[in-house]
Amino acid sequence: AQLIKLTDYEETPYVIETVSLVFKLHAEATEVVSTLSLHPRARTPAGTALELDGDELKLLSIKLNGTPLEDDAYDAAPDKLVVHNPPTEPFKLEITTQINPAANTRLMGLYLSDGIYCTQCEAEGFRRITYYYDRPDALSVFTTRIEADKASNPILLGNGNPQETGRIDGTDRHFAVWHDPHPKPAYLFALVAGDLTCISEKYTTASGKPVDLNIYVEKGNEQRAGWSMDSLVRSMRWDEKTFGREYDLDVFNIVAVSAFNMGAMENKGLNIFNDKYILANSETATDLDYEGIETVVAHEYFHNWTGNRITCREWFQLCLKEGLTVFRDQEFSSDERSRPVKRIADVVRLKSRQFPEDQGPLSHPVRPTEYKEINNFYTATVYDKGAELVRMIKTILGADGFRKGMDLYFERHDGDASTIEDFIKCFEEANDTDLSHFSLWYHQSGTPHLKASSSYDEAAKTFTLELEQTTPATPGQPEKEPFFIPVRFGLVGPNGEDIAYSKAEGARVDGDLLCLTERKQTVVFHGIGSKPVPSLLREFSAPVKLEAGLNRHEQIFLMRHDIDPFNRWQAAQTLMSEMLIEMTNGDIPAGKDAFISALANMAEDENLDHAFRGFGLMLPSEKDIALEIGKDVDTDAIGAARDAFAKEIGASLYDTFERIYSAIEVSETFSPDAASAGKRSLKLRCLYYMAASGIEGSAALTKAHFDAADNMTDRMGALNLLVTWNLEGAKDGLQAFEKRHQGTALAMDKWLSIAAGAPNEDAVSTIRTLTEHPAFSWDIPNRVYSLIGGFLGSNTRGFHKADGSGYDYLAEITLHLDKNNPQVASRLVKSFGSWKNMNAERRVKAKAALERILNADQQLSTDVKEIVERCLD
Ligand code: BAL
Ligand code: ZN
């Protein structure tokens, strides 16, 4: 496949002013008539061919200004349409294609999901519908007419506002016409047709514009859509209040479908969602699901401004809409819930998903400069690190400066297909500042390491902080420049309060913000009356790996006293991580008892909210520890150490955990609010340690929790513990869960993921058996992500088993899935991204498995090939 380069960007020679689409829907032979109004740009030389993108298309007819084109006037292939010598004046091109939605297993373009016609066009799915300039900078005004059988497709939805509906005379068919007045790229096109029902609400924007909100689901699921509607209304209000952004159409429709590659899609006025991010009730959804729904509904809605009204010039600019919109959804959730807890959750996600990516063969800049398959770049780096970069801009400029920059961005670029440079320029101009050094974050990949050391001079009353940044080489970038790193900090005095300094020298320091610009900087703080413990990178102010240079005593001090909740949590994490690594190496960590005692205090601290205490108790995952070790990893040793540590903490603090567990009362009527969810999470975290302890009665307590559960959070949480710790009752629990939830796909996904994540001598056999279970299907991404993704993501010992069985299995299923759905296959095969960190025995097996994929006797998709080649590079 061709390497696409940012430097090759050129405007289209022709402009598509309007596009009028007619869909005659039939499961196996849908006809699409597309009428494009085109004109050449002023500088387009006469005779320049019009080249439109296609993908597996069949052309039925083509007319220019109403007349069929002669055969020699065009060339049509499944992946391209070339019109030779188009007119130099504005002209109309009518293109009729035929597509097969029922056979579309890739779930890109127009396809059928459970009998519902739906589309997914980002990034390049529209070219599977009709020939078009399928690129984000080709903005056009779309009108869509949908025709379908009325009985099986009573609901017909398109982008924009509804225009007209009616019967088609003499047939059982009907039609609907939708018009979207906002010019948009093809990736935001959508249509839905099917037998759906909806819940509705009336919304009035801040300026008084009425909007009809509808969430469409399969019949019978309407009671599970209420939380999504609630989240949507809150998102709309929040965007008005926080960014001054209002909705801009008469209707906003959301549709939930069961077969969907991504989480959801922000098509203009017609968001299409993976049903996992719409459907929830206490019986089938966990607190995390409720939170995820709130986030994703908000995220897609926020795209209306950051993504749709202002879109990307080309796909290299993906972070322009995704990083920014993730930042916006994170801020929304922080305002709706607990800000420190949300920050911890986001950093946990960043460190577990983005850090491994950035420290392995798949590392790439937030704004990449080349790709083979754009679908491979919907990554944690573009999304989550992209959001961190926006957050740093806010940290550097302050809330007001940030808002001024955003206001200018909306004002200046509304209706544009923009770039990261455009975005940064708005912050620079609105704040009269220079962000050129900061911008390196968009272009230089890799996770910087920040190493700190300090000394105190009692006589001079100075505290000296030495900070050194290094960024390891990443693919294509052997040498690194120093980053501009904003470090929020405090100098914590012996009484736990921050010490004020009288003067700081050696770096730009403003209040609690220190900005590093060089490889090595020494900052001297004056007027420091007693030796402080530095608390660095508060709120995780930059996406770096910090080596704080503190001893265990100091870390425990921060864990107990830091006024920054994030760093209290971080101190506990750092201690756990260091100790787990020592235990993995067979050593007994110093200061373990003191740490465990501090952990107990944090868990019992009534001044902290429940969710925070739950997070404080969280052990780093086996994957996190493997990443921290970084080379010659033995996942069995990590797993054994982590199990032993959990058991030890559980046994030492059993009484404490029991006390906390018993004292927390959760209201009897289920509510998904953050406070109630926090209580459930802390209870389950206590139960985790009690279950790990092996102490008599703990298994029965865990089983009792499972049996008494009246909501999915508790039921799934307790079942997971029974299975993880292989307790008596695990088998019964799995059976009871299956019996209760069989037939409810999203609930059974949880059952599959619990079974997939369980440590087990022969994990691959277990997974193989489960692929035969009626709850599983290779064709529905959610099922695959739950079972296979659960195995690859949570069963570290199983996937990285020294005999290579996990690697062999991943090679096998990658090849299997690639035949039907390359996007899903490619997502899974990314799990090989950590293979170079493993020990020699495992590396040999992983490399062989990767080579087997590459050399397989089948045509590999560009998606999978690109990932495998990068892994092997
Ligand atoms: N644009 C793809 C899905 C999302 O990030 O919202
Ligand atoms: Zn997005």
Side-chain angles (χ1 to χ4, degrees), residues 461-644:
K461 303 256 174 283
T462 55
F463 180 71
T464 303
L465 198 53
E466 296 211 350
L467 294 156
E468 184 176 2
Q469 57 163 308
T470 49
T471 304
T474 52
Q477 295 187 347
E479 304 291 335
K480 303 287 184 178
E481 294 299 316
F483 285 99
F484 184 107
I485 304 180
V487 181
R488 252 195 216 297
F489 72 99
L491 304 177
V492 188
N495 63 359
E497 285 176 18
D498 280 7
I499 302 177
Y501 57 88
S502 57
K503 187 171 79 166
E505 294 169 319
R508 182 179 130 187
V509 184
D510 187 6
D512 67 348
L513 188 66
L514 190 167
C515 291
L516 298 175
T517 51
E518 295 162 31
R519 274 183 219 287
K520 213 167 170 176
Q521 273 170 284
T522 302
V523 189
V524 182
F525 296 94
H526 294 263
I528 307 294
S530 48
K531 183 174 188 283
V533 177
S535 167
L536 302 176
L537 216 62
R538 280 180 166 172
E539 297 170 2
F540 200 66
S541 58
V544 304
K545 266 181 92 166
L546 173 69
E547 211 178 300
L550 303 178
N551 61 35
R552 295 233 156 124
H553 178 74
E554 291 168 321
Q555 294 280 16
I556 290 174
F557 176 78
L558 289 185
M559 184 178 157
R560 289 185 184 278
H561 299 295
D562 203 322
I563 56 162
D564 178 47
F566 179 85
N567 266 3
R568 283 187 76 174
W569 171 82
Q570 182 59 63
Q573 285 293 298
T574 304
L575 285 160
M576 286 195 236
S577 177
E578 285 175 8
M579 292 186 185
L580 281 164
I581 292 172
E582 287 163 23
M583 290 172 78
T584 301
N585 295 334
D587 300 328
I588 298 172
K592 192 162 58 169
D593 293 345
F595 165 71
I596 292 177
S597 150
L599 199 64
N601 295 144
M602 190 188 255
E604 287 205 284
D605 189 340
E606 297 281 346
N607 295 318
L608 299 169
D609 69 27
H610 294 97
F612 180 88
R613 290 153 68 192
F615 266 118
L617 289 169
M618 191 181 84
L619 280 178
S621 70
E622 292 173 32
K623 245 166 93 176
D624 294 340
I625 303 160
L627 181 73
E628 200 59 40
I629 294 173
K631 65 175 198 297
D632 292 326
V633 168
D634 173 357
T635 42
D636 290 330
I638 292 173
R642 190 172 179 276
D643 285 356

Side-chain angles (χ1 to χ4, degrees), residues 120 122 262 264-266 299-300 303 321-322 378 383:
Q120 171 56 31
E122 187 174 0
M262 300 194 190
M265 180 62 214
E266 70 264 24
H299 179 97
E300 305 312 328
H303 267 315
K321 73 180 180 79
E322 295 306 347
Y378 285 73
Y383 275 66

Side-chain angles (χ1 to χ4, degrees), residues 439-454:
S439 302
L440 185 63
W441 280 104
Y442 282 96
H443 312 301
Q444 188 167 272
S445 55
T447 308
H449 290 215
L450 183 60
K451 193 170 171 191
S453 60
S454 61

